Amino acid sequence: MSIRSARTQRSLLQEVTSKCSRLNIPIQVALELTYRCNLRCSHCYIDLAETDELSFDEWKEVLSQLKEAGSIYLLFTGGEIMVRNDFLDIAAYARRSGFFIGLLTNCTLLTPDISRAIAELRPFAIGTSLYGATASTHESVTRVPGSFQKALEGIRLLVAAGVMPTVQTIVMQTNVHELPQIEELVERLGARSDINIGMAPSKTGSDFPFQYAPGIEALLNCGWQPETPDPTGEQGPQLCKAGKANCSISPHGDVFPCILFPMKLGNLRESSFDSIWRLEPCAELRYLRSMRRSDLYACNGCELRAYCQRCTGSAYVESGRMDGPSSSACRQAQLRWQLTEVGEV
């Protein structure tokens, strides 16, 4: 695919998503199949357990309801999706039902057979994580010996099967000195690298993940810079599509505006998706859909708004208000400003 063709497709998707957002059509849905995981990552935002997971038959019914609601793109995530023995059954059923699917996995449980089965699903995206360019750095985060080599082998298996994963790296105190090496390693593996500083609070609202974030001095000296904001683009924090064109469903069947937005809208074992989303939306969801950029009272006059990547869900957790400030977004905007402005001096 040419760069021009890829840009055209992204532009078309953005246009369709914007229209769905105006009409409250949940075009993109994240399905959290499980909160269980075979790794124990120190900064993981999932700090709760859920053992009463939806069964395969229940997920089939959920998929049927999402198709009726107009959903097109499904992201399968966790936890680690592959700890469910029926993961491929659920994903294959979704594909046969006409959905485009994306996957998030740590890649450590991949086998040649699973990799080929995933390739046959033709996912529109597959993401994984790498927390270092060396085993010692990566495993200081995952806290599971051997997980580095297993992750690399999983990435190689996907590439060999014809799937190019995006390898995501959250910048942390432990890996900030290896960021250029991580990019080089990912390139050698034949995958895409995505490095960012966008940590989020946990699902229960705890801010413990931020204790692992690096300081500005370490970022300035590591040889890596985030993307510079486009001065010709729209300035300031944007309202996301959560609760309008996007939503998420937990392992237990709870519906949320998105994965990072812990405001429960309803449960699919108690109500239909159509009732929760369209027929009887709760007052909080109605307010979320009515919000405008002008409602972001703490953001509109901020001098760092061009560097801000505000998350409405994080703002809700951190300030108690959907239209309130996100303290983590403020810190990250400050870092981006220093990296792009001070770093060029």
Side-chain angles (χ1 to χ4, degrees):
M1 181 185 297
S2 67
I3 294 177
R4 181 176 181 180
S5 177
R7 287 175 177 171
T8 300
Q9 286 192 7
R10 285 196 297 271
S11 177
L12 179 60
L13 176 58
Q14 290 171 353
E15 182 180 342
V16 171
T17 302
S18 294
K19 185 170 183 178
C20 287
S21 183
R22 292 191 295 271
L23 297 174
N24 298 324
I25 298 173
I27 186 175
Q28 301 183 72
V29 183
L31 306 182
E32 297 180 290
L33 298 184
T34 182
Y35 287 151
R36 292 175 289 144
C37 188
N38 60 318
L39 303 182
R40 302 189 301 274
C41 296
S42 55
H43 67 296
C44 182
Y45 72 98
I46 300 176
D47 57 347
L48 46 79
E50 180 55 74
T51 57
D52 187 18
E53 299 173 355
L54 296 178
S55 67
F56 176 40
D57 286 338
E58 286 178 309
W59 276 118
K60 287 169 64 176
E61 174 59 27
V62 169
L63 293 174
S64 175
Q65 293 185 38
L66 291 177
K67 189 172 183 179
E68 287 291 324
S71 302
I72 297 176
Y73 298 94
L74 303 179
L75 175 66
F76 289 94
T77 183
E80 171 49 49
I81 55 177
M82 294 186 192
V83 302
R84 281 193 64 136
N85 295 329
D86 58 359
F87 149 68
L88 278 173
D89 296 325
I90 299 172
Y93 183 86
R95 199 69 184 89
R96 290 195 302 271
S97 299
F99 293 100
F100 294 100
I101 65 172
L103 311 173
L104 286 180
T105 171
N106 61 40
C107 280
T108 61
L109 300 177
L110 278 170
T111 66
D113 286 344
I114 294 176
S115 299
R116 287 190 289 269
I118 288 174
E120 291 175 1
L121 296 175
R122 292 171 293 155
F124 69 86
I126 182 165
T128 189
S129 297
L130 199 62
Y131 301 114
T134 61
S136 59
T137 300
H138 179 80
E139 291 169 12
S140 71
V141 177
T142 65
R143 299 185 287 191
V144 174
S147 56
F148 179 69
Q149 287 300 329
K150 288 181 179 179
L152 297 189
E153 180 59 22
I155 294 169
R156 293 190 184 101
L157 286 172
L158 288 173
V159 173
V163 179
M164 179 181 286
T166 296
V167 181
Q168 302 164 333
T169 301
I170 290 289
V171 181
M172 306 172 71
Q173 295 170 15
T174 52
N175 65 20
V176 66
H177 62 290
E178 291 184 355
L179 298 184
Q181 290 79 16
I182 291 172
E183 288 184 313
E184 293 171 6
L185 173 58
V186 172
E187 183 178 353
R188 291 199 305 272
L189 292 170
R192 300 185 186 91
S193 179
D194 177 19
I195 296 177
N196 66 81
I197 59 175
M199 278 193 185
S202 76
K203 279 186 173 290
T204 63
S206 173
D207 64 356
F208 76 85
F210 301 114
Q211 68 180 292
Y212 301 104
I216 182 61
E217 185 175 350
L219 285 166
L220 286 171
N221 294 329
C222 73
W224 171 82
Q225 282 190 320
E227 291 185 8
T228 304
D230 180 4
T232 64
E234 192 171 10
Q235 300 293 298
Q238 306 299 308
L239 291 176
C240 68
K241 306 297 190 296
K244 292 172 279 189
N246 300 349
C247 69
S248 71
I249 299 173
S250 81
H252 179 62
D254 292 329
V255 180
F256 297 94
C258 84
I259 286 179
L260 297 177
F261 203 148
M263 183 177 72
K264 180 178 172 180
L265 308 177
N267 182 274
L268 294 175
R269 283 173 168 161
E270 301 169 358
S271 303
S272 69
F273 184 84
D274 194 41
S275 294
I276 295 169
W277 191 260
R278 184 179 66 88
L279 298 177
E280 301 175 8
C282 61
E284 292 82 4
L285 180 56
R286 294 198 301 271
Y287 177 71
L288 175 63
R289 291 171 173 172
S290 72
M291 280 176 55
R292 301 291 180 267
R293 284 184 62 187
S294 57
D295 294 324
L296 304 181
Y297 61 91
C299 301
N300 292 319
C302 179
E303 295 179 352
L304 298 178
R305 59 186 179 275
Y307 301 87
C308 183
Q309 296 179 7
R310 180 185 182 274
C311 169
T312 305
S314 294
Y316 175 77
V317 170
E318 293 168 329
S319 70
R321 296 181 53 157
M322 288 176 269
D323 53 8
S326 166
S327 56
S328 59
C330 294
R331 289 194 300 270
Q332 291 158 14
Q334 179 75 19
L335 284 174
R336 292 188 188 94
W337 174 78
Q338 289 180 284
L339 286 169
T340 54
E341 300 295 327
V342 179
E344 294 175 359
V345 176

